Amino acid sequence: MKLYLKNPIVLILLCLMTGMFMTISFLETPLKFQVQGMTLSTALGLGKLMFGISTKMQNIFLILIFIAMMISRENYTRTDFAFIIVLIILLSLQQFWMLPVLDKRVDLVSSGKSLAPTPLHDYFIYAEMAKAFLMLSATALQFKKQPNEY
């Protein structure tokens, strides 16, 4: 049984998006809090900036991926599209609900105010973990088995 690629453009875009996302969300984010001399305010401000940019970049990637999938839609199943649509929904929830609220909290903490903990930060982390799973799965789904011809 051979594997073939559904659309090389989609695979390239998914790999680039996943790499950027994983680097920012799971490497840069926790490491910035370990830098000596970096204040909490600076680290939170950097996070606010990075997640804002990352979200916009993910939106661009997902739009391009969806367009490329539509162009070669005969190669894709409903499952393929479902993964991308769920990614779009999660990203929209983050961009239009979670990040604005968390950004306001960053501004308040940076101005010296003390805030009670919120579960929203945990929800954001869960959404990031779900997006990582979906991106990796969508990437793996770019390959399709082709039966041997005899």
Side-chain angles (χ1 to χ4, degrees):
M1 191 172 308
K2 294 182 181 182
L3 289 178
Y4 76 93
L5 188 55
K6 294 177 182 179
N7 183 329
I9 301 298
V10 172
L11 179 65
I12 290 167
L13 291 170
L14 275 167
C15 288
L16 287 171
M17 179 178 70
T18 303
M20 180 201 72
F21 165 77
M22 298 289 260
T23 302
I24 291 170
S25 293
F26 300 111
L27 187 62
E28 181 273 337
T29 297
L31 287 178
K32 73 175 169 252
F33 290 100
Q34 297 178 12
V35 175
Q36 287 184 341
M38 184 175 290
T39 65
L40 177 62
S41 179
T42 302
L44 291 174
L46 181 58
K48 179 180 169 181
L49 176 69
M50 291 304 297
F51 278 109
I53 292 169
S54 176
T55 301
K56 288 177 180 81
M57 293 299 296
Q58 289 172 60
N59 278 322
I60 292 167
F61 276 116
L62 284 173
I63 289 166
L64 294 173
I65 288 165
F66 190 80
I67 290 169
M69 286 175 68
M70 288 302 292
I71 290 170
S72 58
R73 66 181 162 267
E74 66 278 354
N75 294 327
Y76 291 98
T77 65
R78 288 182 184 193
T79 303
D80 295 311
F81 282 103
F83 275 77
I84 300 305
I85 289 168
V86 173
L87 274 168
I88 290 168
I89 291 168
L90 280 173
L91 190 60
S92 296
L93 284 171
Q94 286 181 311
Q95 183 175 3
F96 298 113
W97 169 48
M98 295 179 187
L99 282 176
V101 173
L102 292 171
D103 286 350
K104 286 179 186 174
R105 290 179 62 84
V106 165
D107 293 340
L108 291 170
V109 169
S110 294
S111 69
K113 297 203 174 162
S114 180
L115 299 175
T118 176
L120 188 59
H121 189 258
D122 293 334
Y123 300 156
F124 190 86
I125 293 168
Y126 301 147
E128 291 291 277
M129 291 168 38
K131 283 176 14 187
F133 170 79
L134 290 165
M135 286 180 198
L136 292 170
S137 297
T139 302
L141 287 174
Q142 293 308 301
F143 298 94
K144 186 174 179 180
K145 293 178 183 176
Q146 182 177 10
N148 289 333
E149 296 178 15
Y150 293 102

